[in-house]
Amino acid sequence: MPTHSTSILIVGGGFSGTLTAIHLLHATAGQSLSITLVNPASALGRGLAYRSNDDNQILNVPAGNMSAFAETPSHFVEFCQGIDPSINPGSFVSRRLYGRYLEQCLHTAVSAHPERFHAVEGEVDEVHALPAKDGFTVNLASGHCFIAAHVVLAMGHQLPRFPLALDEKTRAFVIDAWDFDSMNRLAPDASVLIIGTGHTAVDALFHLTQQAQPRMITMLSRHGLLPQPHRLNPNPPPVGQYPEYLGEAPLRMRTLLRRLRQEVARHADSGGDWRDVLNQLRPHTPRLWQALSLVERRRFLRHAVAFWDVHRHRLAPQAADRLNALLQTQKVQVLPARLLAMHVCAAGELSIELRPRGQQAAQTLAVTAIVNCTGPSMAIGPRSQRLFQQLVADQLLTPSPCGLGLQINDRYQLIGAQGHAVKGLWYVGPMLKARHWEAIAVPELRVHAQQLAQELAKQLAACSALPAQPESV
Ligand SMILES: Cc1cc2nc3c(=O)[nH]c(=O)nc-3n(C[C@H](O)[C@H](O)[C@H](O)COP(=O)(O)OP(=O)(O)OC[C@H]3O[C@@H](n4cnc5c(N)ncnc54)[C@H](O)[C@@H]3O)c2cc1C
């Protein structure tokens, strides 16, 4: 099979890979470097979040905070106003429109450097370090092979894991999150269990309730908590000082949450809204996360993350209205419960055994299908995508101890099994959560993509001065 060579190969052309390519094109202007972006779909920038053609799926961040470029906050709003002048910074527009915007941003950047950018439709299966540690071989599923001096992993989210073991019979009843085609094939009266009550679950619910005939839908999660709504016309969060009420390290999760609740109460007493407190905290969350010990981080993930997520990751006001209207139809119920077991009944239905929260006795529920919306899996292990497993086996990748993705240093370089940064191997995307916690949405990811590109460009410029040995972390 043919082998090609490229200076930088980016694996994944969603938001993170596309933004990294744009910034790299700018940061390396004037250099004869080639940038190759490999993505399974030909449309770039869309990824999992922005590929839908359904205008009912709207962004959960107001347009004024969705610019691809942090230093030009009005960039996305201006793009929208070119289509509809009534759109303003507080508007919540469709994810489809955002995908179109990202495509245009890439197109503009590539037009200035067409000879240096190559998009390849395909899937990367393996990335191996060359024996002299001065580059990588990148194997695509198609059989094509690239030699690249630098590889940026930007593969986005992994699919949610199913909370129970599935056999061949039960697996046939389970639909993956965002598999809207399979949801479309369900019979109009099929009763559905959605596992999860977060944003992914709300996406599935909206899709499953599009047709005229209402069906019974149960949304199940351990706490049964739904995302809170944004306010109408919210302003982008102001960047302020580190909130003094939180105190300094060493920090304990219980103390932090108590202080946060007290601040919310104090703010409410003076006529404020709890969202302002969270918005002010947002730019400082990485500092807080990094100050926590591993034990405290695990404590947060075990006890508090469900509450944090529904307040931090909010729904657009019109999505919240739609959700409330559906809940009032009596056709949609939210069940706080734990899934215990399931088996196929004779009637071609699934019988689900569950234990409602706070109750001893188990209940059963009969459904025709399950949609697995437990949230994207961040864990890297035997069930991760093949490329992650191979990188672990080659000792080029170390999973994070909290199960939130992979370990990188402060320059976005992967940490290998020996505890050193792997020269030339970079990461950007939602698994930055392991290091920064607040890292999965556009307002943070756009900054990470830019910083990675600048770091990589700096290394390329100083290439000859790079040490031959692996760098210390
Ligand atoms: C449904 C949804 C809605 C969201 N809405 C918002 C929002 O409104 N506002 C906000 O700020 N954030 C939102 N987010 C957060 C979102 O994580 C980021 O905005 C961003 O899309 C993440 O980009 P990414 O490039 O890291 O991942 P993705 O956009 O998922 O892109 C990863 C790409 O890599 C490709 N890929 C994977 N493996 C390989 C491989 N082996 N070889 C080649 N290519 C590969 C995938 O096919 C995909 O195209 C949303 C997320 C989701 C999932």
Side-chain angles (χ1 to χ4, degrees), residues 11-17 38-40 47-50 59-61 66 95 122-124 154-157 178 203 385 429-430 440-443 445:
V11 187
F15 176 87
S16 304
V38 184
N39 192 59
L48 191 55
Y50 312 120
L59 295 173
N60 53 39
V61 174
M66 284 296 285
R95 304 211 295 245
E123 193 162 346
V124 171
M155 291 124 73
H157 297 277
W178 306 295
D203 268 1
Q385 74 153 284
I440 62 168
V442 165
L445 273 182

Side-chain angles (χ1 to χ4, degrees), residues 30 66 70 72 87 90 137 141 162 178 200 203 227 237 242 248 282 323 363 403 417 426 436 461 467:
M66 284 296 285
T72 323
I87 293 175
T137 52
F162 199 77
W178 306 295
T200 312
D203 268 1
Y242 178 79
E248 289 296 338
R282 182 169 175 173
L323 177 59
Q363 288 182 7
W426 309 75
H436 300 281

Side-chain angles (χ1 to χ4, degrees), residues 57 138 175 275 297 326 337 399 405:
Q57 292 183 8
V138 179
I175 298 175
R275 295 169 185 84
R297 289 183 193 187
L326 282 168

Side-chain angles (χ1 to χ4, degrees), residues 152-445:
V152 180
L153 304 178
M155 291 124 73
H157 297 277
Q158 302 188 107
L159 280 177
R161 290 190 177 168
F162 199 77
L164 297 176
L166 293 169
D167 59 29
E168 212 174 300
K169 283 186 187 161
T170 48
R171 184 172 292 117
F173 286 81
V174 178
I175 298 175
D176 283 332
W178 306 295
D179 181 357
F180 298 121
D181 290 340
S182 296
M183 294 182 214
N184 290 343
R185 284 195 289 273
L186 292 173
D189 60 348
S191 56
V192 181
L193 173 67
I194 298 176
I195 304 183
T197 52
H199 282 267
T200 312
V202 173
D203 268 1
L205 174 71
F206 286 174
H207 195 84
L208 288 164
T209 48
Q210 267 175 347
Q211 80 266 49
Q213 187 175 349
R215 51 160 64 107
M216 280 304 300
I217 298 182
T218 303
M219 298 170 83
L220 177 148
S221 70
R222 274 191 290 163
H223 297 277
L225 297 169
L226 292 164
Q228 292 286 318
H230 277 286
R231 285 163 292 182
L232 274 175
N233 286 312
N235 293 315
V239 179
Q241 298 285 317
Y242 178 79
E244 274 180 23
Y245 67 84
L246 291 171
E248 289 296 338
L251 298 170
R252 285 172 62 86
M253 189 42 69
R254 187 180 294 193
T255 317
L256 277 178
L257 292 175
R258 192 182 63 241
R259 289 181 184 162
L260 186 60
R261 276 195 299 268
Q262 285 168 346
E263 179 63 14
V264 166
R266 194 195 60 73
H267 194 64
D269 284 348
S270 55
D273 188 289
W274 59 268
R275 295 169 185 84
D276 297 325
V277 179
L278 283 197
N279 289 351
Q280 279 153 12
L281 180 58
R282 182 169 175 173
H284 308 287
T285 321
R287 173 173 160 184
L288 269 180
W289 182 249
Q290 283 158 15
L292 289 175
S293 67
L294 189 56
V295 172
E296 290 298 321
R297 289 183 193 187
R298 288 194 170 128
R299 198 164 273 155
F300 171 74
L301 293 172
R302 205 166 38 245
H303 300 297
V305 74
F307 299 93
W308 174 267
D309 279 351
V310 294
H311 290 92
R312 169 52 203 90
H313 300 285
R314 301 190 278 273
L315 278 178
Q318 55 271 53
D321 285 349
R322 185 173 169 193
L323 177 59
N324 283 335
L326 282 168
L327 291 171
Q328 279 162 22
T329 61
Q330 313 296 324
K331 289 282 182 180
V332 177
Q333 63 162 339
V334 174
L335 197 58
R338 187 183 279 274
L339 194 62
L340 298 176
M342 55 192 212
H343 64 267
V344 181
C345 320
E349 279 187 334
L350 266 183
S351 172
I352 313 280
E353 194 182 332
L354 48 91
R355 185 182 303 121
R357 191 171 178 79
Q359 294 182 24
Q360 288 300 317
Q363 288 182 7
T364 55
L365 175 75
V367 295
T368 320
I370 293 184
V371 186
N372 182 17
C373 298
T374 50
S377 166
M378 294 279 173
I380 294 183
R383 289 194 280 164
S384 306
Q385 74 153 284
R386 180 176 146 81
L387 177 53
F388 281 135
Q389 293 189 45
Q390 174 262 310
L391 288 167
V392 173
D394 282 12
Q395 307 202 335
L396 297 174
L397 184 157
T398 311
S400 100
C402 282
L404 288 176
L406 41 80
Q407 293 191 40
I408 55 160
N409 66 6
D410 57 2
R411 298 184 202 159
Y412 304 94
Q413 290 172 301
L414 263 72
I415 305 296
Q418 311 304 325
H420 299 295
V422 180
K423 187 181 142 194
L425 190 55
W426 309 75
Y427 175 80
V428 62
M431 288 184 181
L432 291 173
K433 208 170 180 179
R435 188 176 179 88
H436 300 281
W437 181 252
E438 181 67 74
I440 62 168
V442 165
E444 284 76 26
L445 273 182

